[in-house]
Amino acid sequence: MSSGGSQAKGRVARQTHVGIPPSLVEEEHGREAFAGPVSHLYRSQPPTAWVEVDGPLRPLALDLNGLTPGDAADPEAGRALVLANEDLRVEVSRLAAPMPFAYRNGDADEVVFVHQGSGVLQTDYGPLVFTAQDYLVLPRGTAHRFVPAEPCFLYVVSSVAPASRPDFGLLGRHAVVDPRVLVTPEPYAEPPEDWAADADGRWRLRVRRRGQWTTFRYPHNPFNAVGWAGDLSPYRLSVRDIRPVTAPGFHLPPSVHTTFRCGAFDIATFVPRPFETDPEALRVPFFHANVDNDEVIFYSRGHFFSRKGIGQGWLTLHPAGVQHGPQPGAAESAAALEGTSEVAVMIECRDPLTVDDGAAACEDPAYTTSWARGLGLLD
Ligand SMILES: [Fe+2]
């Protein structure tokens, strides 16, 4: 795979991501996301400046505010599917009223990012109070019930492989997310009274397994565990407690923002952070060819410094095989600011994702050629 030893030919920056000649842009062409064999190409035009795309492969942007999941009006109904492959599903819930049943996912761990709303997540292990900008992590097989205090917008990533937290190696055990900020539930002394039985006197537990649904009915409230012990449980992580790693003189790859490792994919969180201060250091993400991964970003808060025309609640998908990078003007905007205010959730996955039809209807067709338009190459 490697051409044998690092080489430099033609006009290049003296160091990667540092002192890039002003007339050139840097593109990373690498394997294994940002960890494998890699070269940098120094181009006179951004690789994303295409003016026309013919065929199925293109970057796309979806305004997920336009999705209407069934659970928005009826808590008995389901979420809206956005993207899926064999390893993961991305769904949106707009739950506004308490779930009248408990739910257990027998297929996958669930990493729920609370984009909007607040409430209580009742679980087998006890309750977790949540608010916007929290992650709620539910190991496969955890019965749970969302009780919103206000209408919610939940961005739900289901992972067939266990969702674990990354090892930051030389940065130590407390880097980025100190395990002490993770909140686990206290068990119920008594089953929660706010969940009444159905008219038939039964409490329902709905289980998803192999994509099929089964309902178990109990003559009592199934949240009846009065204690738990062990190292597997649901937990809450507030995005406000993430302490991002940055470097004054070097633009670190997005992989340093990894929050969860899920086998064939990673979930990263971009949070507000200062820009690089060294005048020669790159401040915006480099262009990259993304040859091994599909990349999904959900934008939740703040101004996303490398994209234009993307609002809160939007999602972009950059499939493997097509380059992407900062929008025209992003470097100039970044130069005028001290940091970024963004909160965004990124998925990088090995296998290709399929966009569900309902989500595809939310596409902004202008995004595909937004780089060319930003450069004045298109009207
Ligand atoms: Fe990327």
Side-chain angles (χ1 to χ4, degrees), residues 34 288 290 295 324 346 348:
F34 303 101
H288 48 281
N290 219 40
E295 179 186 300
H324 62 273
M346 180 172 82
E348 283 220 319

Side-chain angles (χ1 to χ4, degrees), residues 5-30:
S6 192
Q7 306 182 41
K9 302 194 180 234
R11 288 178 65 200
V12 300
R14 193 170 65 81
Q15 292 178 12
T16 302
H17 311 334
V18 176
I20 298 160
S23 58
L24 301 180
V25 298
E26 183 187 62
E27 177 192 337
E28 181 160 312
H29 176 218

Side-chain angles (χ1 to χ4, degrees), residues 10 17 215 239 251 359:
H17 311 334
T215 301
V239 164
H251 189 86

Side-chain angles (χ1 to χ4, degrees), residues 34 254 270 285-290 293-297 307 318 322-325 346-348:
F34 303 101
F270 297 114
F286 38 87
F287 291 92
H288 48 281
N290 219 40
N293 298 89
D294 275 14
E295 179 186 300
V296 179
I297 302 183
R307 297 272 179 275
H318 295 116
V322 55
Q323 295 106 323
H324 62 273
M346 180 172 82
I347 295 168
E348 283 220 319

